[in-house]
Amino acid sequence: MLKIDRSACDECGTCISICPFDALVFNPGLKVDDAKCVSCGKCVRICPFGALSLAAEMSSANPSGCPETETV
Amino acid sequence: MENETFDIVVVGAGPAGSMAALHAAKAGRKVCLFERKPVVGVPVRCGEGIGLKGMTASIDVNPKWIRTKITKACFVSPSGIKVPVGRMDESYIINREIMEQDLVDMAAKAGAVYRNSTSVNAVKPLNGNWYVCETSGASVKAKCVILAEGIESRLARGLGWKTDLSAEDVETCAFCHVDHESIKGDTVDFYVGSGYAPGGFVWIFPHGKGRANVGLGILGSFHDAGRSKEYLLKFVERFYPDAKISDLHCGGVPVAKWQKPLVRNGVMLVGDAARQVNALSGAGIGYGLYAGRIAGEISAASFTGTECDYKSLKQYEKKWASFYGKQQMRSYSLKKMLMTNNNDKFYDSVAKSFVGANPEKMGYMRIFFRAFAKHPGMLVKVFLLFR
């Protein structure tokens, strides 16, 4: 899941321009649409201030929300 | 309740958007200009450098907008070889905050309705050649919509454009104001190299003696989370130790091909939203002012009564393509070519070949051609581009 660090985000919009899934939007601050986001990480790498990060998925397969130890 | 109606809605009040609103309103159209932020142009996300020609092509320059005149430039190679340039086209560092506020005021004075602190969340076509603009406030309807929303160019996606950028087509930038006694008032400096700004450059644009806008752009494909900020602070620390830093901000610059088509039915793209930026230098103010002006004029002229003729809106793309479009495409091809040779050794060897050269005879183009001359295959391609 994409996390936005509000204190670091400068609202420049670069992440919005690079998102292939149209999952990021200003409304009026930066918001992520979790239904559209596929956690590809493009926005995380492009952020000039490092305000975005990917946290481990919280899914029904992993209800505890603990980070998965194995990835496919 | 019936939506409020306009002839033309402009989304985004940067240089391109306000110019469009100004010229459409001046021609007698009922115009609404939306701006997401409370105050336009704040914070400034730009180096603020511009050639005089780039402004006078579209607007009379107000002396209030000028911070300082630039008479010299200096390129510094990765290993520190300096290439001074004394032959410059007339160039200025401007104050965008003042300029953008003035442009908005001019648009409002010409009759455009200005709504700040208002996000436009979607633009949707309706029956009868109307578009509805859904905003964070009341929705409005218009026959023609000009999108000047900047790099994010998101509303265009919902209307059929593919505007998401690939990493190699965006420069990720960070910049700040630096106060330091070593800053000269009339020289712009550029530092090239992987240690400074991979796939881009550092700029030092003086506001006058002792203060400069220091910034950098890193090509997206070389970037990682937070790198722009980290490299900028490292640079300032190294070259301006103990300097006072303020107004640290970031931004993205599209260095892509301009967006085709520029017009779909009743919608036009202008400025960064249309990728109207010189892909080699990252300069976009001049292109944005021009595109905004002609989009505003042409949209207004496309109306008969309250009906907008979509076919005649396409004149905008034709005019842009012949005035700046070709130049912009050339800048993109050159950027692509330069990136195939993007290594420190290459930049150092170009700089070395100019050691001892007379700065008065040095212009940007000479450095440029020398760089490509080092690779004869590339030089041929460059000549073909400039035919």
Side-chain angles (χ1 to χ4, degrees), chain A residues 10-14 16-29 36 42 44-50 52, chain B residues 36 45 119 121 151-152 154 157 163-165 167 170 172-173 220 223-229 248-252:
Chain A
D10 196 36
E11 299 189 357
C12 71
T14 310
I16 300 176
S17 77
I18 205 165
C19 177
F21 304 100
D22 197 27
L24 288 158
V25 59
F26 283 133
N27 185 23
K36 286 182 178 174
K42 277 186 99 173
V44 174
R45 289 191 297 277
I46 209 74
C47 178
F49 280 3
L52 302 171
Chain B
R36 177 172 64 86
R45 301 184 192 280
S119 303
N121 300 321
I151 185 170
E152 55 263 37
R154 220 196 125 245
R157 297 192 198 187
T163 61
D164 57 307
L165 293 166
V170 56
T172 306
C173 304
H223 197 268
D224 209 346
R227 186 163 288 168
S228 295
K229 183 178 174 180
L248 174 64
H249 289 290
C250 61

Side-chain angles (χ1 to χ4, degrees), chain B residues 26-336:
Chain B
K26 226 178 173 175
R29 288 293 127 198
K30 194 179 171 196
V31 178
C32 185
L33 172 61
F34 286 108
E35 168 57 40
R36 177 172 64 86
K37 294 183 290 182
V39 182
V40 72
V42 181
V44 170
R45 301 184 192 280
C46 182
E48 303 185 296
I50 188 168
L52 184 68
K53 267 196 290 186
M55 289 190 95
T56 52
S58 315
I59 194 164
D60 292 328
V61 179
N62 185 328
K64 267 197 324 190
W65 304 343
I66 294 171
R67 291 185 194 271
T68 187
K69 188 179 171 175
I70 300 302
T71 55
K72 283 176 275 207
C74 185
F75 287 88
V76 184
S77 82
S79 70
I81 304 166
K82 291 187 174 174
V83 181
V85 174
R87 233 174 60 189
M88 301 264 297
D89 288 336
E90 197 169 345
S91 304
Y92 295 96
I93 306 300
I94 58 165
N95 185 327
R96 263 187 78 163
E97 203 175 319
I98 296 178
M99 182 182 86
E100 289 188 29
Q101 192 58 58
D102 275 359
L103 290 176
V104 167
D105 291 347
M106 284 157 74
K109 211 177 261 174
V113 173
Y114 178 55
R115 295 207 174 133
N116 59 342
S117 301
T118 309
S119 303
V120 177
N121 300 321
V123 175
K124 293 174 184 163
L126 295 176
N127 286 338
N129 288 352
W130 284 105
Y131 288 91
V132 63
C133 302
E134 299 172 0
T135 80
S136 52
S139 296
V140 303
K141 286 199 308 183
K143 293 277 178 174
C144 171
V145 178
I146 300 176
L147 297 178
E149 42 172 343
I151 185 170
E152 55 263 37
S153 201
R154 220 196 125 245
L155 295 172
R157 297 192 198 187
L159 293 158
W161 275 280
K162 188 190 174 310
T163 61
D164 57 307
L165 293 166
S166 59
E168 53 275 11
D169 283 347
V170 56
E171 288 280 343
T172 306
C173 304
F175 26 81
C176 61
H177 292 156
V178 172
D179 291 299
H180 199 266
E181 76 264 1
S182 70
I183 293 165
K184 290 165 280 188
D186 59 350
T187 308
V188 291
D189 293 319
F190 298 97
Y191 287 73
V192 187
S194 60
Y196 299 127
F201 56 84
V202 175
W203 69 78
I204 294 144
F205 284 1
H207 286 184
K209 216 184 144 3
R211 173 169 248 225
N213 173 321
V214 180
L216 57 76
I218 294 175
L219 199 66
S221 38
F222 297 114
H223 197 268
D224 209 346
R227 186 163 288 168
S228 295
K229 183 178 174 180
E230 184 193 320
Y231 276 47
L232 176 66
L233 294 177
K234 206 167 73 179
F235 182 91
V236 174
E237 172 74 35
R238 178 172 162 196
F239 289 91
Y240 305 106
D242 302 318
K244 192 184 140 233
I245 299 175
S246 55
D247 301 300
L248 174 64
H249 289 290
C250 61
V253 177
V255 286
K257 293 177 187 167
W258 58 271
Q259 193 78 45
K260 276 184 196 165
L262 285 175
V263 183
R264 269 182 210 272
N265 299 320
V267 183
M268 307 161 103
L269 304 186
V270 295
D272 281 14
R275 314 318 184 198
Q276 288 164 326
V277 175
N278 183 304
L280 200 59
S281 66
I285 306 171
Y287 285 178
L289 290 170
Y290 176 77
R293 177 168 72 84
I294 58 170
E297 286 170 355
I298 289 167
S299 62
S302 301
F303 274 82
T304 312
T306 55
E307 286 308 310
C308 179
D309 174 23
Y310 291 170
K311 256 197 201 136
S312 82
L313 290 180
K314 290 188 200 296
Q315 286 302 318
Y316 159 57
E317 177 165 334
K318 275 199 189 130
K319 227 170 160 178
W320 156 265
S322 66
F323 197 74
Y324 277 142
K326 219 173 150 188
Q327 190 188 81
Q328 197 281 337
M329 285 299 282
R330 216 151 52 197
S331 75
Y332 183 76
S333 304
L334 291 171
K335 180 208 84 169
K336 280 278 213 204

